Amino acid sequence: AQKVTQAQTEISVVEKEDVTLDCVYETRDTTYYLFWYKQPPSGELVFLIRRNSFDEQNEISGRYSWNFQKSTSSFNFTITASQVVDSAVYFCALSEEAAGNKLTFGGGTRVLVKP
Amino acid sequence: DTAVSQTPKYLVTQMGNDKSIKCEQNLGHDTMYWYKQDSKKFLKIMFSYNNKELIINETVPNRFSPKSPDKAHLNLHINSLELGDSAVYFCASTLSSRGRRGYTFGSGTRLTVV
């Protein structure tokens, strides 16, 4: 069975600080996909990144970066030089080929960036 | 232009009523989903349809009945609404071959049962 754990329920930082969100997953499938979504206060789910299980390269997109480590089953997300607009709930999610491609979400981490 | 659209955006209704939420996508995707987000923000899958065929049905009360008239539409009908059904319901779609952008979500329907 697939499972995603986001141990941090809430993180509060001051603007310009870096913040790292942890995500640990469990799967028996060898082919799977990992995602991060952002849910701002307005409520919509915004896609940030997708990674497949065969691609362990880290990725950077502007102030966002992701560290995928299969050895520890982790897919962590770092926001560099945080801004107030980064305040949101961030979800890590897992999709397995063997599970009908459903997305299983972690419990989410609320990030509050104070000015 | 909206990729995945849900209607209505807000729904307030009394216990015992029957209501429907509609979802349409114009992305050419072949798989659609309903997710429920509770008051603690937990997101859980309810149903999934691929080309109008039900492929995932998680443990959902049979008061909830999805209907997919074609692969661009997935509606959710809820009978005999209960207080615990209050939540935000998200529709999503994807290509079963999973394009780079992954899953696209609608903006959600906030259901409040009073």
Side-chain angles (χ1 to χ4, degrees):
Chain A
Q2 55 190 70
K3 185 178 175 183
V4 178
T5 302
Q6 293 179 252
Q8 306 142 307
T9 52
E10 186 163 325
I11 302 175
S12 183
V13 297
V14 175
E15 216 172 10
K16 296 185 185 172
E17 287 183 343
D18 298 347
V19 56
T20 295
L21 312 181
D22 298 333
C23 173
V24 173
Y25 62 92
E26 292 177 29
T27 177
R28 294 179 191 168
D29 211 343
T30 55
T31 302
Y32 54 90
Y33 296 79
L34 294 162
F35 300 80
W36 277 94
Y37 282 86
K38 173 182 179 180
Q39 188 174 41
S42 50
E44 72 273 22
L45 285 162
V46 178
F47 167 84
L48 295 178
I49 190 171
R50 167 181 176 263
R51 259 283 174 269
N52 74 53
S53 50
F54 301 110
D55 182 2
E56 275 192 83
Q57 274 196 329
N58 291 330
E59 181 151 339
I60 298 174
S61 175
R63 296 182 298 105
Y64 295 168
S65 61
W66 291 269
N67 183 309
F68 177 25
Q69 292 197 334
K70 285 177 77 169
S71 59
T72 55
S73 297
S74 65
F75 186 42
N76 297 338
F77 171 34
T78 298
I79 304 172
T80 303
S82 60
Q83 299 176 1
V84 172
V85 292
D86 296 326
S87 296
V89 180
Y90 292 86
F91 292 95
C92 181
L94 167 69
S95 166
E96 291 177 332
E97 273 196 349
N101 298 327
K102 69 177 182 181
L103 269 179
T104 296
F105 286 88
T109 299
R110 183 181 300 275
V111 173
L112 178 60
V113 182
K114 299 177 184 174
Chain B
D1 266 307
T2 306
V4 179
S5 62
Q6 295 180 227
T7 53
K9 192 166 172 63
Y10 300 97
L11 185 53
V12 181
T13 188
Q14 290 189 327
M15 278 175 56
N17 283 350
D18 302 339
K19 290 293 177 186
S20 291
I21 307 171
K22 295 186 176 181
C23 179
E24 176 181 4
Q25 53 92 7
N26 61 4
L27 297 165
H29 288 169
D30 58 1
T31 306
M32 296 183 73
Y33 306 82
W34 278 110
Y35 282 83
K36 178 181 179 180
Q37 185 173 41
D38 64 22
S39 57
K40 295 183 179 176
K41 297 287 190 182
F42 290 121
L43 273 157
K44 192 166 166 28
I45 190 168
M46 300 173 70
F47 301 103
S48 172
Y49 272 74
N50 178 269
N51 282 319
K52 303 192 298 176
E53 190 177 327
L54 180 67
I55 56 171
I56 293 174
N57 182 348
E58 295 288 300
T59 313
V60 178
N62 57 17
R63 298 182 296 103
F64 290 79
S65 52
K67 282 193 173 51
S68 182
D70 55 61
K71 68 177 187 179
H73 295 82
L74 180 61
N75 304 323
L76 184 64
H77 188 76
I78 315 169
N79 289 327
S80 303
L81 278 154
E82 300 177 357
L83 292 176
D85 298 331
S86 295
V88 179
Y89 292 84
F90 285 97
C91 178
S93 70
T94 191
L95 268 176
S96 50
S97 57
R98 284 192 306 278
R100 182 162 173 79
R101 295 232 9 118
Y103 302 75
T104 304
F105 282 82
S107 56
T109 295
R110 183 175 294 276
L111 171 65
T112 303
V113 182
V114 298

